[in-house]
Amino acid sequence: MLLLVTVVGCRSTGLRLTAEQEQIRKELAVISPRDDSLARDSPIVDIHTHTFNARYLPLRNILLGKRDAATPYTWLISDSCAATLAHSLIARTELAPAPGGQSVPRMESASQAQEHRDKGLICGIFLKLLDKAAASGAWRKGMSPKDQLDAIDKVAKEMNFQEKAAVMIATRMMGMDNHVDMSPNGLRGAVRFLWFLTQNDADQTRLFALQYKDAPMRGTPLMVSHMMDLAPVYDQEPNGNELLDFAKDQIRRVESFQERPNSNMIYLVAYAPYRDYWRGGHAGDAQELVRSAIEEHGAWGVKVYPPSGYRPAGNSIQPRPAGIRSRAAAEQWDARYGPLPADKNRALDEKIEKLLLWCIEKDVPVFVHSGTGEFEARKGYGFYHSNPSFWRQFLDNHPAPDGSPCRLRLSLGHAGGDDYWFGGKTAVSWGSDTYEMCRRFPNVYCEITTHAQLVAPDSQAFFVDRLTKAFDDSQRDADGKPYPFSFAKKLMYGTDWYLPDASERVTVLIATEQAFLHKKLRVHYKDYFFGNALRYLNAGTRLNKSNGSFTAVEKRLQDALTLATD
Ligand SMILES: [Zn+2]
């Protein structure tokens, strides 16, 4: 409880609570997860996390292609500045020794700004900030991760206006504007995100566990790590240890991390349709990469990422970028869409349909980003391509052979974004459409990403009230008919760790536990925190096939399954 009180809430949402919500708010304030055995004895599955680092992302081209992310400042960034910014983060990023690869140490010096003093104003500010962070111990060997994070927080707190603006610009160019604002906590979130981006890839699982070590739960959370395959999206060729090759290096590394006894991590492989033709690719390559990761390299499912410029159905490619400083963006567009045959939209529809039909046939879990922002290939692509209604279109067009609703095993990440779930105004239908799909289709699930908004008492109360109604099985659809499936069996816990957040992770988790310990949601606690995730992941079927010889992670899943079914 004390923790909650000391944390400053996020942006004000302008929420007006009803009398009923006011009452919930009062009741929430006295709930203490630490004193509740339901919280202490339940395991947690976080269905939405990331464990990549800067060497897994085409950072240089992400920056080059986003010149319109925060104009006019981003126009000031020259090509060589973008390359230098990317390189300066990558140089500070460690790689663990892994199959087929050597370890890569990070650059220790605090003199990058001096080395690259000719790259322009914004570049200079950003590089000096990195040097400052280095000098303060943010990456110092022998210092604990906690002390390093404290050091980086201190740097964030002491930033001057120019430095704040440079951090905002850099994170916006990566597409994080939904997550970051200029408030002190928003900026701390952005700076921490950049720090996590530089961490040793083998350490990410440990850093994740460390952030939750004071929260009441059984064991440490099991993380489901989502890969991203962005090189073809931004047309940046893999290059040794600077940008790891997705198939040869990234998948192998993540597979080996998953296999470590104490990883507490399983992974989803990423899909990128452009692999079918990008730099020598052939028709079918994109799906084959997914198949081999799942059938031969231990992946538990596939991550589909529409902000990269495509939809599951109803594709409608945006025009080729033109205008100030858009040369790189236009080249990236050419790489993504140029080689597609004459009816480009239809060609994309067909590729993704083929993948999803295979997923239905094999009962493979598909996880899709279904919020408005994040690593968008172009500004606006998230909003344009990620609308859950395109999934509804696919589901409606693919009923099961017996005519019953589509059986695709799908999770809508972010559940359509915050607005519906936290009382926002912009993309409300995205959330309500997500809810509808969960209740109409047997295997459609969703995850409302928990973050700083849960720590604000008003939004927390709104959230509890919203879910109470969503979980009510007597709710009828627009035609007055009962729904076939219960939402309480479909909603999963997820955080999108380590993307920027304005609050402390453990504080958000405790606030989420508080919400589900409220008398109106308490009966759904176990389903929400682990039961539904195990069902979505099809863990029972998958573990049955393992014939008794379990890895440590599988054993944990097995234990959680036993708890889930009592
Ligand atoms: Zn994510």
Side-chain angles (χ1 to χ4, degrees), residues 117-139:
R117 59 189 173 280
D118 54 339
K119 298 297 191 313
L121 180 70
I122 292 181
C123 227
I125 296 167
F126 195 82
L127 293 177
K128 264 190 209 140
L129 190 63
L130 284 179
D131 286 347
K132 239 188 237 181
S136 78
W139 293 283

Side-chain angles (χ1 to χ4, degrees), residues 1-8 34 214-215 455 504 506-507 510:
M1 263 322 289
L2 251 182
L3 258 176
L4 293 182
V5 179
T6 52
V7 164
V8 183
R34 287 180 213 286
D214 297 327
V455 178
E504 295 286 350
V506 66
T507 314
I510 290 172

Side-chain angles (χ1 to χ4, degrees), residues 59-78:
L59 271 186
R60 185 193 67 223
N61 280 13
I62 287 177
L63 296 174
L64 275 177
K66 298 295 284 296
R67 285 288 176 53
D68 57 346
T71 55
Y73 310 105
T74 40
W75 289 338
L76 297 173
I77 294 179
S78 64

Side-chain angles (χ1 to χ4, degrees), residues 63 70 73-74 77 81 85 89 120-130 159-174 180 182 187 190-191 194:
L63 296 174
Y73 310 105
T74 40
I77 294 179
C81 170
L85 285 181
L89 270 175
L121 180 70
I122 292 181
C123 227
I125 296 167
F126 195 82
L127 293 177
K128 264 190 209 140
L129 190 63
L130 284 179
M159 289 190 296
N160 63 32
F161 181 78
Q162 284 186 320
E163 290 166 339
K164 289 177 187 171
V167 165
M168 282 295 287
I169 290 167
T171 39
R172 280 217 179 155
M173 290 178 93
M174 292 178 202
V180 177
M182 284 287 258
L187 287 163
V191 171
L194 295 173

Side-chain angles (χ1 to χ4, degrees), residues 340-544:
L340 284 166
D343 190 342
K344 294 182 188 301
N345 293 320
R346 199 164 143 199
L348 273 181
D349 283 351
E350 284 170 3
K351 284 182 194 308
I352 296 153
E353 180 182 44
K354 217 167 161 191
L355 170 83
L356 296 176
L357 289 176
W358 179 81
C359 292
I360 294 174
E361 186 200 325
K362 301 285 180 185
D363 211 7
V364 163
V366 176
F367 195 107
V368 60
H369 171 94
S370 195
T372 56
E374 246 173 70
F375 287 100
E376 324 175 78
R378 285 285 287 162
K379 191 178 176 184
Y381 269 30
F383 202 78
Y384 186 73
H385 295 287
S386 309
N387 195 317
S389 66
F390 302 123
W391 289 92
R392 183 65 192 260
Q393 200 176 324
F394 177 88
L395 295 168
D396 282 342
N397 288 334
H398 296 86
D402 63 2
S404 65
C406 183
R407 303 200 59 81
L408 180 66
R409 186 170 290 282
L410 174 70
S411 169
L412 295 150
H414 309 299
D418 287 350
D419 292 332
Y420 181 71
W421 306 105
F422 291 100
K425 301 271 180 288
T426 317
V428 176
S429 69
W430 289 40
S432 55
D433 287 352
T434 297
Y435 173 74
E436 285 284 318
M437 282 185 263
C438 289
R439 297 212 61 178
R440 283 181 191 282
F441 296 90
N443 300 321
V444 174
Y445 294 74
C446 70
E447 163 264 327
I448 302 170
T449 307
T450 57
H451 51 72
Q453 276 197 303
L454 268 154
V455 178
D458 281 2
S459 332
Q460 189 193 27
F462 183 94
F463 179 78
V464 169
D465 186 45
R466 173 64 89 200
L467 287 186
T468 303
K469 286 170 182 136
F471 290 154
D472 175 2
D473 282 335
S474 68
Q475 292 267 357
R476 300 279 169 137
D477 69 12
D479 299 326
K481 297 207 184 90
Y483 289 104
F485 302 101
S486 172
F487 191 64
K489 298 286 181 198
K490 299 301 192 82
L491 180 66
M492 303 181 283
Y493 168 72
T495 62
D496 211 1
W497 188 84
Y498 58 89
L499 265 61
D501 190 23
S503 190
E504 295 286 350
R505 294 286 174 175
V506 66
T507 314
V508 174
L509 172 57
I510 290 172
T512 312
E513 293 183 349
Q514 228 179 3
F516 275 84
L517 292 171
H518 187 275
K519 61 185 182 221
K520 295 189 177 204
L521 300 184
R522 191 176 170 92
V523 58
H524 308 299
Y525 192 97
K526 289 178 169 186
D527 277 336
Y528 173 71
F529 278 107
F530 66 98
N532 293 340
L534 295 171
R535 268 187 286 279
Y536 161 68
L537 291 168
N538 213 4
T541 310
R542 177 135 180 187
L543 293 174
N544 267 336

Side-chain angles (χ1 to χ4, degrees), residues 48-50 226 228 303 305 369 374 414 496-497 499:
H48 188 169
T49 70
H50 300 283
H226 301 193
M228 306 278 285
K303 174 74 179 258
Y305 201 69
H369 171 94
E374 246 173 70
H414 309 299
D496 211 1
W497 188 84
L499 265 61

Side-chain angles (χ1 to χ4, degrees), residues 49-111:
T49 70
H50 300 283
T51 54
F52 53 69
N53 69 19
R55 295 180 190 268
Y56 288 60
L57 302 174
L59 271 186
R60 185 193 67 223
N61 280 13
I62 287 177
L63 296 174
L64 275 177
K66 298 295 284 296
R67 285 288 176 53
D68 57 346
T71 55
Y73 310 105
T74 40
W75 289 338
L76 297 173
I77 294 179
S78 64
D79 287 9
S80 71
C81 170
T84 306
L85 285 181
H87 178 78
S88 63
L89 270 175
I90 289 165
R92 304 221 180 254
T93 304
E94 276 185 354
L95 277 187
Q102 293 170 326
S103 64
V104 177
R106 69 165 50 98
M107 194 202 65
E108 300 274 342
S109 95
S111 59

Side-chain angles (χ1 to χ4, degrees), residues 113-321:
Q114 185 60 22
E115 283 163 41
H116 302 285
R117 59 189 173 280
D118 54 339
K119 298 297 191 313
L121 180 70
I122 292 181
C123 227
I125 296 167
F126 195 82
L127 293 177
K128 264 190 209 140
L129 190 63
L130 284 179
D131 286 347
K132 239 188 237 181
S136 78
W139 293 283
R140 193 168 298 150
K141 274 206 175 66
M143 223 158 113
S144 74
K146 188 181 172 306
D147 290 343
Q148 292 185 5
L149 260 175
D150 286 348
I152 202 100
D153 285 353
K154 191 158 174 283
V155 171
K157 210 172 171 179
E158 289 165 2
M159 289 190 296
N160 63 32
F161 181 78
Q162 284 186 320
E163 290 166 339
K164 289 177 187 171
V167 165
M168 282 295 287
I169 290 167
T171 39
R172 280 217 179 155
M173 290 178 93
M174 292 178 202
M176 301 294 157
D177 28 340
N178 280 9
H179 301 254
V180 177
D181 60 25
M182 284 287 258
S183 71
N185 286 347
L187 287 163
R188 181 187 66 187
V191 171
R192 282 186 178 187
F193 166 70
L194 295 173
W195 182 83
F196 276 110
L197 211 47
T198 66
Q199 295 309 304
N200 187 312
D201 51 348
D203 273 351
Q204 299 282 18
T205 55
R206 194 168 60 92
L207 291 170
F208 173 81
L210 206 63
Q211 295 212 298
Y212 292 108
K213 81 178 176 9
D214 297 327
M217 72 180 86
R218 177 188 288 225
T220 40
L222 180 89
M223 65 195 303
V224 179
S225 171
H226 301 193
M227 297 189 77
M228 306 278 285
D229 182 14
L230 298 180
V233 177
Y234 295 87
D235 191 28
Q236 186 176 327
E237 184 122 47
N239 172 18
N241 289 322
E242 285 259 333
L243 173 55
L244 296 170
D245 181 89
F246 189 76
K248 283 209 286 290
D249 299 319
Q250 297 196 17
I251 290 178
R252 282 225 192 128
R253 296 178 77 87
V254 177
E255 179 189 16
S256 77
F257 300 146
Q258 171 176 280
E259 282 167 4
R260 288 181 312 178
N262 296 316
S263 74
N264 287 330
M265 182 270 276
I266 61 177
Y267 83 98
L268 307 181
V269 66
Y271 169 73
Y274 318 123
R275 290 235 169 243
D276 279 358
Y277 41 83
W278 184 63
R279 302 208 181 203
H282 299 94
D285 282 3
Q287 189 172 324
E288 169 56 19
L289 194 56
V290 169
R291 187 208 60 78
S292 81
I294 290 171
E295 295 186 344
E296 291 151 26
H297 298 285
W300 283 68
V302 55
K303 174 74 179 258
V304 172
Y305 201 69
S308 288
Y310 61 90
R311 300 168 175 173
N315 275 287
S316 173
I317 296 169
Q318 293 267 38
R320 189 173 186 270

